[in-house]
Coordinates of all heavy atoms in Angstrom, one line a residue:
Chain I
E81 N 113.8 152.6 130.2 CA 113.2 152.0 131.4 C 111.9 151.2 130.9 O 111.4 151.5 129.9 CB 112.8 153.0 132.5 CG 112.0 154.2 131.9 CD 110.5 154.1 132.0 OE1 110.0 153.0 132.3 OE2 109.9 155.1 131.7
E82 N 111.5 150.2 131.7 CA 110.4 149.4 131.4 C 109.4 149.5 132.5 O 109.8 149.4 133.7 CB 110.8 148.0 131.1 CG 109.7 147.1 130.7 CD 110.2 145.7 130.2 OE1 111.4 145.5 130.1 OE2 109.3 144.9 129.9
G83 N 108.1 149.6 132.2 CA 107.1 149.5 133.3 C 107.0 150.8 134.0 O 106.5 150.9 135.2
G84 N 107.4 151.9 133.4 CA 107.2 153.3 134.0 C 108.1 153.6 135.2 O 107.9 154.7 135.8
S85 N 109.0 152.7 135.6 CA 109.9 153.1 136.7 C 111.3 152.9 136.3 O 111.8 151.9 135.8 CB 109.5 152.1 137.8 OG 110.7 151.8 138.6
C86 N 112.1 154.0 136.5 CA 113.5 154.0 136.1 C 114.3 153.3 137.2 O 114.3 153.7 138.4 CB 114.0 155.4 135.9 SG 115.8 155.5 135.5
E87 N 115.1 152.3 136.8 CA 115.8 151.5 137.8 C 116.9 152.3 138.5 O 117.4 151.9 139.6 CB 116.4 150.2 137.2 CG 117.4 150.4 136.2 CD 117.9 149.1 135.5 OE1 118.8 148.5 136.0 OE2 117.3 148.8 134.4
V88 N 117.3 153.4 137.9 CA 118.3 154.3 138.6 C 117.7 155.4 139.3 O 117.9 155.5 140.5 CB 119.3 154.8 137.5 CG1 120.3 155.8 138.1 CG2 120.1 153.6 136.9
C89 N 116.9 156.2 138.6 CA 116.3 157.4 139.3 C 115.4 157.0 140.5 O 115.4 157.7 141.5 CB 115.4 158.2 138.3 SG 116.4 158.9 137.0
D90 N 114.7 155.9 140.4 CA 113.8 155.5 141.4 C 114.4 154.6 142.5 O 113.8 154.2 143.4 CB 112.6 154.8 140.8 CG 111.8 155.7 139.9 OD1 112.1 156.9 139.8 OD2 110.9 155.1 139.2
D91 N 115.7 154.4 142.4 CA 116.4 153.6 143.4 C 117.0 154.5 144.5 O 118.0 155.2 144.3 CB 117.5 152.8 142.7 CG 118.3 151.8 143.7 OD1 118.1 152.0 144.9 OD2 119.0 151.0 143.2
E92 N 116.3 154.4 145.7 CA 116.7 155.3 146.8 C 118.0 155.0 147.4 O 118.6 155.8 148.1 CB 115.6 155.3 147.8 CG 114.3 156.1 147.4 CD 114.5 157.5 147.0 OE1 115.3 158.2 147.6 OE2 113.9 158.0 146.0
T93 N 118.5 153.8 147.1 CA 119.8 153.4 147.7 C 121.0 154.0 147.0 O 122.1 153.9 147.4 CB 119.9 151.9 147.8 OG1 120.1 151.4 146.5 CG2 118.7 151.2 148.4
R94 N 120.8 154.5 145.8 CA 121.9 155.0 145.0 C 122.3 156.4 145.5 O 121.5 157.2 146.0 CB 121.5 155.1 143.5 CG 121.2 153.7 142.9 CD 120.9 153.8 141.4 NE 122.1 154.1 140.7 CZ 122.8 153.2 140.0 NH1 122.3 151.9 139.9 NH2 123.9 153.5 139.3
E95 N 123.6 156.7 145.2 CA 124.1 158.0 145.6 C 123.5 159.1 144.8 O 123.3 158.9 143.6 CB 125.6 158.1 145.4 CG 126.4 157.2 146.4 CD 127.8 156.9 145.8 OE1 128.3 157.7 145.0 OE2 128.4 155.8 146.2
K96 N 123.2 160.2 145.4 CA 122.5 161.3 144.7 C 123.4 162.4 144.3 O 123.0 163.4 143.7 CB 121.3 161.8 145.6 CG 120.3 160.8 146.0 CD 119.4 160.5 144.8 CE 118.3 159.5 145.2 NZ 117.5 159.0 144.1
N97 N 124.7 162.3 144.7 CA 125.5 163.5 144.5 C 126.5 163.4 143.3 O 127.2 164.3 143.1 CB 126.3 163.8 145.8 CG 127.0 162.6 146.3 OD1 126.9 161.5 145.7 ND2 127.8 162.8 147.4
T98 N 126.5 162.3 142.6 CA 127.4 162.1 141.5 C 126.5 161.9 140.2 O 125.6 161.1 140.2 CB 128.3 160.9 141.6 OG1 128.4 160.5 142.9 CG2 129.7 161.2 141.0
L99 N 126.9 162.5 139.1 CA 126.1 162.4 137.9 C 127.1 162.0 136.7 O 128.1 162.8 136.5 CB 125.4 163.7 137.6 CG 124.5 163.8 136.3 CD1 123.3 162.9 136.5 CD2 124.1 165.2 136.0
V100 N 126.9 160.9 136.1 CA 127.7 160.5 135.0 C 126.9 160.9 133.7 O 125.8 160.5 133.6 CB 128.0 159.0 135.0 CG1 128.3 158.5 133.6 CG2 129.2 158.7 135.9
V101 N 127.5 161.6 132.8 CA 126.9 162.1 131.6 C 127.4 161.2 130.4 O 128.6 161.1 130.2 CB 127.2 163.6 131.3 CG1 126.5 164.0 130.0 CG2 126.7 164.4 132.4
V102 N 126.5 160.5 129.8 CA 126.9 159.6 128.7 C 126.1 160.0 127.4 O 125.1 160.7 127.5 CB 126.6 158.1 129.0 CG1 127.5 157.6 130.1 CG2 125.1 157.9 129.4
S103 N 126.7 159.5 126.3 CA 126.0 159.8 125.0 C 124.8 158.9 124.8 O 123.7 159.3 124.4 CB 127.0 159.6 123.8 OG 127.9 160.6 123.8
F104 N 124.9 157.6 125.2 CA 123.8 156.6 124.9 C 123.5 155.8 126.2 O 124.4 155.6 127.0 CB 124.2 155.7 123.8 CG 124.4 156.4 122.5 CD1 125.6 156.6 122.0 CD2 123.3 156.9 121.8 CE1 125.8 157.3 120.8 CE2 123.4 157.5 120.6 CZ 124.7 157.7 120.0
S105 N 122.3 155.4 126.2 CA 121.8 154.6 127.3 C 122.7 153.4 127.6 O 123.0 153.0 128.7 CB 120.4 154.1 127.0 OG 119.6 153.9 128.1
K106 N 123.1 152.7 126.5 CA 124.0 151.5 126.6 C 125.3 151.8 127.3 O 125.9 150.9 127.9 CB 124.2 150.8 125.3 CG 124.9 151.7 124.3 CD 125.1 150.9 123.0 CE 125.6 151.9 121.9 NZ 125.8 151.3 120.6
D107 N 125.8 153.1 127.2 CA 127.1 153.4 127.8 C 127.0 153.3 129.4 O 127.9 153.0 130.0 CB 127.5 154.8 127.5 CG 127.7 155.0 126.0 OD1 128.0 154.0 125.3 OD2 127.6 156.1 125.5
A108 N 125.7 153.5 129.9 CA 125.5 153.4 131.3 C 125.8 152.0 131.8 O 126.2 151.8 133.0 CB 124.1 153.9 131.7
L109 N 125.5 151.0 131.0 CA 125.7 149.6 131.3 C 127.1 149.3 131.8 O 127.4 148.6 132.7 CB 125.4 148.7 130.1 CG 124.0 148.1 130.0 CD1 123.9 147.2 128.9 CD2 123.6 147.4 131.3
A110 N 128.1 149.9 131.0 CA 129.5 149.7 131.3 C 129.8 150.2 132.7 O 130.6 149.6 133.4 CB 130.3 150.4 130.3
F111 N 129.2 151.4 133.1 CA 129.4 151.9 134.4 C 128.8 151.0 135.5 O 129.4 150.8 136.5 CB 128.9 153.3 134.5 CG 129.8 154.3 133.9 CD1 129.6 154.7 132.5 CD2 130.8 154.9 134.6 CE1 130.5 155.6 131.9 CE2 131.6 155.8 134.0 CZ 131.5 156.2 132.7
E112 N 127.6 150.5 135.2 CA 127.0 149.6 136.2 C 127.9 148.4 136.4 O 128.0 148.0 137.6 CB 125.6 149.1 135.6 CG 124.5 150.2 135.6 CD 124.2 150.7 137.0 OE1 123.7 149.9 137.8 OE2 124.5 151.9 137.3
K113 N 128.5 147.9 135.3 CA 129.3 146.7 135.5 C 130.5 147.0 136.3 O 131.0 146.1 137.0 CB 129.7 146.2 134.1 CG 128.7 145.3 133.4 CD 129.1 144.8 132.1 CE 127.9 144.2 131.3 NZ 128.1 144.3 129.9
C114 N 131.1 148.2 136.3 CA 132.3 148.5 137.1 C 131.9 149.0 138.5 O 132.8 149.4 139.2 CB 133.3 149.4 136.3 SG 132.9 151.1 136.3
G115 N 130.6 149.0 138.8 CA 130.3 149.2 140.2 C 129.8 150.6 140.6 O 129.6 150.9 141.7
Y116 N 129.7 151.5 139.6 CA 129.2 152.8 139.8 C 127.8 152.8 140.3 O 127.0 152.1 139.8 CB 129.3 153.6 138.5 CG 128.7 155.0 138.6 CD1 129.4 156.1 139.2 CD2 127.5 155.3 138.0 CE1 128.8 157.3 139.3 CE2 126.9 156.6 138.0 CZ 127.6 157.6 138.7 OH 127.0 158.8 138.8
R117 N 127.5 153.6 141.4 CA 126.2 153.6 142.0 C 125.5 155.0 142.1 O 124.7 155.2 143.0 CB 126.3 152.9 143.4 CG 126.7 151.5 143.4 CD 125.6 150.5 143.1 NE 124.5 150.6 144.0 CZ 123.3 150.2 143.7 NH1 123.0 149.7 142.5 NH2 122.4 150.2 144.6
G118 N 125.9 155.9 141.2 CA 125.4 157.2 141.3 C 124.3 157.4 140.2 O 123.6 156.4 139.8
Q119 N 124.1 158.6 139.8 CA 123.0 158.9 138.8 C 123.6 159.0 137.4 O 124.8 159.1 137.2 CB 122.4 160.3 139.2 CG 121.8 160.3 140.6 CD 120.7 159.3 140.8 OE1 119.8 159.2 140.1 NE2 120.9 158.5 141.9
Y120 N 122.7 159.1 136.4 CA 123.1 159.2 135.0 C 122.4 160.3 134.3 O 121.3 160.7 134.7 CB 122.8 157.9 134.2 CG 123.6 156.7 134.6 CD1 123.1 155.7 135.4 CD2 125.0 156.6 134.2 CE1 123.8 154.6 135.8 CE2 125.7 155.5 134.6 CZ 125.1 154.5 135.4 OH 125.9 153.4 135.7
H121 N 123.0 160.8 133.2 CA 122.2 161.6 132.3 C 122.6 161.2 130.9 O 123.8 161.2 130.5 CB 122.5 163.1 132.5 CG 121.6 164.0 131.7 ND1 120.3 164.4 132.2 CD2 121.7 164.5 130.5 CE1 119.7 165.1 131.3 NE2 120.5 165.2 130.2

Side-chain angles (χ1 to χ4, degrees):
Chain I
E81 50 92 353
E82 184 171 354
S85 147
C86 175
E87 65 186 273
V88 173
C89 293
D90 298 350
D91 184 345
E92 287 303 322
T93 68
R94 296 182 72 105
E95 290 159 26
K96 299 286 182 192
N97 54 357
T98 342
L99 183 67
V100 158
V101 177
V102 289
S103 289
F104 296 105
S105 210
K106 62 180 170 182
D107 299 333
L109 265 184
F111 281 91
E112 288 297 294
K113 279 181 190 153
C114 79
Y116 174 75
R117 298 281 298 157
Q119 306 297 311
Y120 293 103
H121 189 86

